[in-house]
Amino acid sequence: MTPAAAPYVLGIDTDATTLREADHLLRALAAELSLPEGVFGCTHLVRDGRPRVALSLAAEAEPVLRTARDRLTARGYAVRDGAWDETGRAVLYPGAAALTGTLTLAELLARSAIDRVTVLGTADQPAPDTRLVTREHVRPHWQDGRLILAAMPAAGGTLVPFEDPDPTPCCADH
């Protein structure tokens, strides 16, 4: 279920300017709204004259998001029907909380809504017994209606998610 194709999807405009800030906001809102495990929460880069990171929530059941819409609107958020785009970066998704430590790719796929893992720089599918060091930061993206995690090679024949949980800010060494 992609956020854009889910039966019920809300887009939430924010003033967040970084992915880290948007992740924090999305998790805080999910906790405050008591969203159930099956809800997808994504970030979307918006470049429409006011660059920012917007959010989307997608669920199978309308009542979950109807209540969320009312509460978000009451807090002053601009909320709309539908996701910002079909390529959101998933922060909240079924099984996300179970993706900690080092897992085989087979375990990762079995425990979560992630459909596939790709490795940067190769067209080959990694073997199911390949180990992924999660760094407790697994952010797959929607591609063609499937949740895909981009990974890259790491020490000892392992993989790590492409997105670094603690990126060095641009120009940090100047």
Side-chain angles (χ1 to χ4, degrees):
M1 170 183 77
T2 69
Y8 304 100
V9 183
L10 296 179
I12 306 156
D13 204 351
T14 76
D15 290 325
T17 57
T18 67
L19 291 174
R20 181 180 294 210
E21 182 182 3
D23 284 9
H24 178 75
L25 176 60
L26 185 54
R27 289 182 183 282
L29 290 174
E32 179 182 317
L33 298 169
S34 300
L35 296 177
E37 168 77 16
V39 171
F40 287 84
C42 296
T43 61
H44 305 266
L45 299 177
V46 179
R47 295 177 180 94
D48 63 358
R50 183 174 68 91
R52 63 199 180 283
V53 184
L55 309 175
S56 67
L57 297 173
E60 290 288 335
E62 180 184 15
V64 170
L65 294 186
R66 187 178 328 120
T67 301
R69 175 192 290 275
D70 294 344
R71 292 180 66 190
L72 290 165
T73 302
R75 288 195 54 202
Y77 287 99
V79 180
R80 69 183 211 179
D81 290 328
W84 293 91
D85 56 43
E86 294 183 9
T87 59
R89 172 183 162 273
V91 176
L92 305 175
Y93 51 93
L99 304 181
T100 62
T102 300
L103 306 169
T104 66
L105 296 185
E107 290 170 326
L108 175 114
L109 297 173
R111 292 181 185 181
S112 72
I114 296 173
D115 295 303
R116 188 165 59 99
V117 177
T118 61
V119 179
L120 298 177
T122 180
D124 298 333
Q125 276 296 117
D129 63 345
T130 303
R131 294 176 303 129
L132 178 88
V133 180
T134 67
R135 301 180 298 191
E136 282 67 40
H137 190 83
V138 181
R139 302 291 188 266
H141 288 257
W142 288 105
Q143 294 176 13
D144 299 322
R146 299 179 71 204
L147 203 51
I148 310 296
L149 177 66
M152 58 187 182
T158 64
L159 298 173
V160 294
F162 173 70
E163 186 176 321
D164 188 335
D166 296 309
T168 303
C170 178
C171 306
D173 60 344
H174 309 221

Coordinates of all heavy atoms in Angstrom, one line a residue, residues 20 135 162-174:
R20 N 15.6 15.4 9.6 CA 15.7 15.1 11.0 C 14.5 15.8 11.7 O 13.9 15.2 12.6 CB 17.0 15.5 11.6 CG 17.2 15.2 13.0 CD 18.5 15.6 13.6 NE 19.5 14.8 12.9 CZ 20.7 14.5 13.5 NH1 21.0 14.9 14.6 NH2 21.5 13.7 12.8
R135 N 21.6 0.5 12.3 CA 21.9 1.8 12.9 C 20.7 2.4 13.5 O 20.6 3.6 13.7 CB 22.6 2.7 12.0 CG 23.9 2.2 11.4 CD 24.6 3.1 10.5 NE 23.8 3.4 9.3 CZ 24.3 4.0 8.2 NH1 25.5 4.4 8.2 NH2 23.5 4.2 7.2
F162 N 21.4 3.3 3.2 CA 22.0 4.4 2.5 C 22.0 5.7 3.3 O 22.9 6.5 3.4 CB 21.4 4.7 1.1 CG 22.0 5.9 0.5 CD1 23.3 5.9 0.0 CD2 21.2 7.0 0.3 CE1 23.8 7.0 -0.6 CE2 21.7 8.1 -0.3 CZ 23.0 8.1 -0.8
E163 N 20.8 6.0 3.9 CA 20.7 7.2 4.7 C 21.4 7.1 6.0 O 21.1 6.2 6.8 CB 19.2 7.5 4.9 CG 19.0 8.9 5.6 CD 17.5 9.3 5.7 OE1 16.7 9.0 4.8 OE2 17.2 9.9 6.7
D164 N 22.3 8.0 6.3 CA 23.0 8.1 7.5 C 22.2 8.7 8.6 O 21.6 9.8 8.4 CB 24.3 8.9 7.3 CG 25.3 8.8 8.4 OD1 24.9 8.6 9.6 OD2 26.5 9.0 8.2
P165 N 22.1 8.1 9.8 CA 21.3 8.7 10.9 C 21.9 10.0 11.4 O 21.2 10.8 12.0 CB 21.2 7.6 12.0 CG 22.4 6.8 11.7 CD 22.7 6.8 10.2
D166 N 23.2 10.2 11.3 CA 23.9 11.4 11.8 C 24.7 12.0 10.7 O 26.0 12.0 10.8 CB 24.8 11.0 13.0 CG 23.9 10.5 14.1 OD1 23.0 11.2 14.5 OD2 24.3 9.4 14.6
P167 N 24.1 12.6 9.7 CA 24.9 13.1 8.6 C 25.7 14.4 9.0 O 25.3 15.1 9.9 CB 23.8 13.5 7.5 CG 22.6 13.8 8.3 CD 22.7 12.8 9.5
T168 N 26.8 14.5 8.4 CA 27.6 15.7 8.6 C 27.0 16.9 7.9 O 26.7 16.8 6.7 CB 29.1 15.5 8.1 OG1 29.6 14.4 8.7 CG2 29.9 16.7 8.3
P169 N 26.7 18.0 8.5 CA 26.1 19.1 7.8 C 27.0 19.6 6.7 O 28.2 19.6 6.8 CB 25.9 20.2 8.9 CG 26.1 19.4 10.2 CD 26.9 18.2 9.9
C170 N 26.4 20.1 5.7 CA 27.1 20.7 4.6 C 28.0 21.8 5.1 O 27.6 22.6 5.9 CB 26.1 21.2 3.5 SG 27.0 22.0 2.2
C171 N 29.2 21.8 4.6 CA 30.2 22.9 5.0 C 30.6 22.9 6.4 O 31.0 23.9 7.0 CB 29.6 24.3 4.6 SG 29.1 24.4 2.9
A172 N 30.5 21.7 7.1 CA 30.8 21.6 8.5 C 32.3 21.9 8.8 O 32.6 22.3 9.9 CB 30.4 20.3 9.1
D173 N 33.1 21.6 7.8 CA 34.5 21.8 8.0 C 35.1 23.1 7.5 O 36.3 23.3 7.4 CB 35.3 20.6 7.3 CG 35.1 20.6 5.8 OD1 34.1 21.2 5.3 OD2 35.8 19.8 5.2
H174 N 34.2 24.0 7.1 CA 34.7 25.3 6.6 C 34.5 26.4 7.7 O 33.5 26.5 8.3 CB 33.9 25.9 5.4 CG 33.7 24.9 4.3 ND1 33.9 25.3 3.0 CD2 33.5 23.6 4.3 CE1 33.6 24.3 2.2 NE2 33.4 23.2 3.0

